[in-house]
Amino acid sequence: MNQWGMDTATVMHGVFGDPIKHSKSPIMHNRAFRELGLNAAYAAFHILPGQLKDAVAGIRALQFRGVNVTIPHKLEVMDYLDEIDEDARAIGAVNTIVNDGGKLTGYNTDGIGYVRSLKEEAGFSAAGKKVLLLGAGGAARGVAYALAKEGASAVYIANRTVSKATELADSISAYAPAYGMSFDETIDIRNDVELVVNNTSVGMHPNVDEVPIDTSWFHDRLTVSDLVYNPLVTRLLREAEAKGAKVHGGLGMFLYQGAYAFEYWTGREAPVAAMREAVLEAFR
Ligand code: ATR
């Protein structure tokens, strides 16, 4: 091996996105490979719209073992794969590709990654519980689906554009009772829910003073989770903590979507602690 630890046997991985410059995935996965002593590497690829089909063909040609797919390619990439996992099909997006000898299978690890991080980091399991999700965009889809599949007794989805909340609720209603609503209507279900998740971009850098919902009703039996991880602690989480609620930050979902991808590619348990350390170092 050379000074970077790479040689002709190195197993290649990567992430396709646009933009991709700020991705922490290479740092996270390369640390994980190193931690387990695997001869593998992971790089970021800036794939422009219109070039995704060729890029996916490149996975086969170059014999990459695995690729993550991020904004804006998670939907279109499904057209170029040989097989799509049932969960990814239900969510309608792929973020992880596994290459088995030229056969490409698409998975979605965002939702299951979220549920696993919620369990590991906040000790929260959604089975039998009512949950309130804020937002109905791309990030909300995987979270809503995974919480429904975990057995939530009700999934309430509030969104600025109510029709999108209703559509998302309808799309998961086969797995759990689900209801779309406006932010105002959440007043009626506040006292029933045990988890609130922010799936909107509200509170994200640079708009760090914004909160997606009034927090005056938060209490100490509630878990409040924010998918935003820049900043690591949002105003929503600070206000939740002040009310005694348990808080769960967005870094967890990023870490555990990566952990599942790593496990699909390598068949090894992901070294999550080392991955977290690498990502936190990169944020400093
Ligand atoms: P992502 O892939 O990150 O989920 P997205 O699909 O664009 O991004 O979804 C962004 C989510 O944040 C949506 O639910 C959006 O609400 P709308 O569907 O009404 O657009 C929500 N969102 C973004 N900015 C918002 C704001 N200022 N107030 C309330 N909701 C907002």
Side-chain angles (χ1 to χ4, degrees), residues 135-139 159-161 164 199-202:
N159 196 46
R160 181 176 59 183
T161 313
K164 281 173 67 185
N199 293 301
T200 75
S201 45
V202 178

Side-chain angles (χ1 to χ4, degrees), residues 71 74 134-141 158-162 164-165 183 198-202 204 210-212 227:
I71 289 165
K74 288 184 184 190
L134 312 174
R141 295 195 65 80
N159 196 46
R160 181 176 59 183
T161 313
V162 180
K164 281 173 67 185
F183 278 94
N198 176 35
N199 293 301
T200 75
S201 45
V202 178
M204 193 183 287
E210 293 177 5
V211 277
L227 256 53

Side-chain angles (χ1 to χ4, degrees), residues 132 134 183 186 190 196 211-218 236 239:
L132 169 60
L134 312 174
F183 278 94
T186 60
R190 279 175 186 178
V196 176
V211 277
I213 194 172
D214 162 47
T215 61
S216 60
W217 61 278
F218 283 7
L236 178 75
E239 292 186 0

Side-chain angles (χ1 to χ4, degrees), residues 2 8-9 36 40 42 49 77 86 100-101 131 133 137 146 165 214 228 266 279:
N2 63 19
T8 55
L36 297 190
Y42 186 113
V77 75
E86 189 194 322
D100 279 309
V131 302
L133 310 188
D214 162 47
V228 170
T266 66
V279 174

Side-chain angles (χ1 to χ4, degrees), residues 8-125:
T8 55
T10 302
V11 180
M12 290 302 303
H13 303 74
V15 56
F16 293 175
D18 172 33
I20 202 63
K21 214 168 61 195
H22 299 293
S23 173
K24 304 285 184 272
S25 290
I27 282 167
M28 177 170 73
H29 283 287
N30 286 318
R31 177 70 68 89
F33 292 140
R34 202 169 77 209
E35 187 76 11
L36 297 190
L38 300 174
N39 186 359
Y42 186 113
F45 297 90
H46 190 181
I47 307 299
L48 297 171
Q51 296 185 329
L52 184 62
K53 190 176 182 183
D54 288 345
V56 173
I59 298 173
R60 292 192 190 88
L62 301 172
Q63 297 174 30
F64 277 30
R65 168 61 176 159
V67 164
N68 284 132
V69 183
T70 187
I71 289 165
H73 301 310
K74 288 184 184 190
L75 272 62
E76 186 192 340
V77 75
M78 297 173 82
D79 294 340
Y80 312 131
L81 304 175
D82 301 304
E83 210 167 285
I84 294 163
D85 165 73
E86 189 194 322
D87 288 350
R89 197 185 303 276
I91 294 166
V94 159
N95 80 323
T96 300
I97 300 171
V98 178
N99 179 6
D100 279 309
K103 183 185 158 206
L104 305 186
T105 305
Y107 296 89
N108 189 308
T109 69
D110 288 328
I112 53 175
Y114 175 75
V115 162
R116 188 163 145 197
S117 82
L118 194 61
K119 213 170 280 177
E120 302 268 337
E121 299 174 329
F124 188 92
S125 164

